[in-house]
Every structure is written in C-alpha cells, then in structure tokens.
C-alpha cells in the first residue's frame, strides 16, 4: 500500500525529542462557521496572519478582548456570544488512535507538545482526564509568547530542552510549520490526523524492531 506520509529515513532510536503539534494531529478540529462562512476570500490565511489572533495565542490578550477585537478585525456578522460558543467548540476531542500512538512512543523519547494555542482552549485540554499527562512537557504559545512558524519558536525550544536538532523530530499538520522547523535543522514530518500518526508510529518503531 502506498504511504500517505513522507516518512523519515530513521527509527525511534534516532529520536531523543519528539515535538508534537496538537490540533489536527492529536486533537480533532471541528467547524468554525463564523470564519468559514464569512466574506473573507481566504479565512484561514487571514486567521493565521491576524494580529488579534497572534496576540491572543501568545498570551497577550484575554478571551473577552479577543472576541471583541476579532469580530471587528474580520468584520464578522455574529454576536460575541455566538462567536465565543463556536470558538470554544472548535477543538473537538482527542483522536483515539493518536492517543494510543503517543502512549506507544512515550517510553522511547521525550514527548513534548508544541502548539499555537491559548489559555481558553488549554483549560479544555486540561479537563480531559489523562490527556496532558500523555506528554513529558508542554510548550504552548500562550506561555512561551512565541508562535509557529516563526523561527524563534524552534530556537527557543531547542535551548529550553537542551536538544540536538538532528535528534529532534517535529510533527505538525501545517506544511509551513514543517518547513520552518526543517530550516533550522530539525527533523520534521507533516502529519494530518490519527491515521497518518499511526503510520508514522509504526515506521519509527518497526525501523528499530520495537513493539
């Protein structure tokens, strides 16, 4: 069967640190109609480059101010309450298979979450029994003040973890983030959803004969 993933040419024994994105890799992302049905030609490009979003996800803007500023910036025709309801529901539950793959990988490397996220959504993640404990460490953007795909976030992570880039594997669903990680010397792989994470896990473990 043809692989759906650009698999690395090494196994888990060559990885000391695994940096893992959350949304789209471990956590399902739901609908966000306020953005997708808006007048914006490319809503997700606008979201990724939004000063308001970056302020919120780097910990500089609390949720109430974020909602009002986002509605104004994007000229959205929904109420603040409706926008907040949709925003809260955007991250769904964790993918079941992704959780199982992380449990398989955890004994062999330092497992660190590296996510562009905010304190509001993080409270939801923390409410899921055992979820945050899947990882050894967390470096969310609202705590570091740094966001992918900015190169500064990867330099910060390597320094914070005292990690060697060539023995650090970064996985993310966004191609721009993967390219940025590779540009500073990290191993990186684009992974979208639980099936691709399962495929990567099998490859990493099979390459060194581990269960």
């Amino acid at each position: 069967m043809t692989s759906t993933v650009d698999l690395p040419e090494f196994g888990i024994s060559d990885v000391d640190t695994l940096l893992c994105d959350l949304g789209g890799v471990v956590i399902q992302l739901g609908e966000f109609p306020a953005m997708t049905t808006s007048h914006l030609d490319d809503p997700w490009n606008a979201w990724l480059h939004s000063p308001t979003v970056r302020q919120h996800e780097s910990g500089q803007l609390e949720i109430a101010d974020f909602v009002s500023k986002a509605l104004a910036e994007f000229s959205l025709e929904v109420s603040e309450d409706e926008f907040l309801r949709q925003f809260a529901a955007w991250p769904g539950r964790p993918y079941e298979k992704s959780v199982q793959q992380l449990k398989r990988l955890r004994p062999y490397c330092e497992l660190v979450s590296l996510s562009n996220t905010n304190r509001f959504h993080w409270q939801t993640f923390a409410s899921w029994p055992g979820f945050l404990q899947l990882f050894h460490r967390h470096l969310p953007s609202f705590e570091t003040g740094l966001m992918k795909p900015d190169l500064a976030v990867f330099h910060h992570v390597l320094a914070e973890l005292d990690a060697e880039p060539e023995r650090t594997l970064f996985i993310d669903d966004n191609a721009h983030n993967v390219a940025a990680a590779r540009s500073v010397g990290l191993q990186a792989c684009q992974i979208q959803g639980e099936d691709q994470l399962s495929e990567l896990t099998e490859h990493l473990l099979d390459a060194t004969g581990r269960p």
Side-chain angles (χ1 to χ4, degrees):
M1 184 173 66
T2 302
S3 173
T4 61
V5 183
D6 183 15
L7 295 169
E9 297 181 356
F10 52 80
I12 196 64
S13 62
D14 298 305
V15 177
D16 294 332
T17 305
L18 197 155
L19 302 174
C20 187
D21 180 33
L22 295 179
V25 177
V26 184
I27 297 172
Q28 303 174 58
L29 294 178
E31 297 297 322
F32 195 173
M35 289 297 295
T36 55
T37 62
S38 70
H39 66 284
L40 299 167
D41 293 333
D42 189 347
W44 296 126
N45 187 59
W47 182 271
L48 290 172
H49 292 90
S50 161
T52 301
V53 172
R54 290 182 69 88
Q55 280 186 310
H56 183 48
E57 296 202 334
S58 61
Q60 302 172 49
L61 197 63
E62 292 302 322
I63 185 64
D65 292 331
F66 165 69
V67 170
S68 60
K69 291 187 69 172
L71 288 175
E73 179 182 335
F74 299 125
S75 300
L76 301 178
E77 297 180 356
V78 296
S79 68
E80 290 189 2
D81 287 347
E82 178 60 17
F83 181 89
L84 181 58
R85 185 193 67 77
Q86 293 183 20
F87 185 66
W90 192 14
R93 297 286 298 181
Y95 290 109
E96 290 185 11
K97 284 198 291 186
S98 290
V99 169
Q100 295 308 313
Q101 302 318 311
L102 294 180
K103 288 179 178 179
R104 295 178 67 195
L105 292 168
R106 196 179 193 277
Y108 302 116
C109 58
E110 184 175 25
L111 193 57
V112 181
S113 75
L114 183 65
S115 180
N116 289 349
T117 192
N118 51 80
R119 188 172 286 105
F120 180 74
H121 282 153
W122 197 260
Q123 291 171 347
T124 299
F125 306 159
S127 74
W128 298 332
F131 178 74
L132 294 184
Q133 291 70 35
L134 290 169
F135 301 86
H136 295 97
R137 292 190 61 177
H138 301 279
L139 295 172
S141 61
F142 73 88
E143 288 188 350
T144 66
L146 301 169
M147 293 182 62
K148 302 172 293 185
D150 296 351
L151 301 186
V153 68
F154 299 107
H155 291 300
H156 171 78
V157 166
L158 291 172
E160 179 71 17
L161 301 177
D162 192 24
E164 300 177 17
E166 64 274 11
R167 293 189 62 84
T168 300
L169 175 60
F170 170 66
I171 59 177
D172 197 290
D173 65 329
N174 186 294
H176 296 291
N177 295 340
V178 169
R182 287 174 176 165
S183 75
V184 297
L186 278 73
Q187 309 290 343
C189 186
Q190 185 178 9
I191 295 294
Q192 296 177 320
E194 60 184 351
D195 289 337
Q196 290 193 355
L197 182 58
S198 297
E199 186 178 349
L200 174 65
T201 301
E202 292 297 336
H203 169 80
L204 290 173
L205 296 177
D206 287 350
T208 45
R210 304 196 182 191

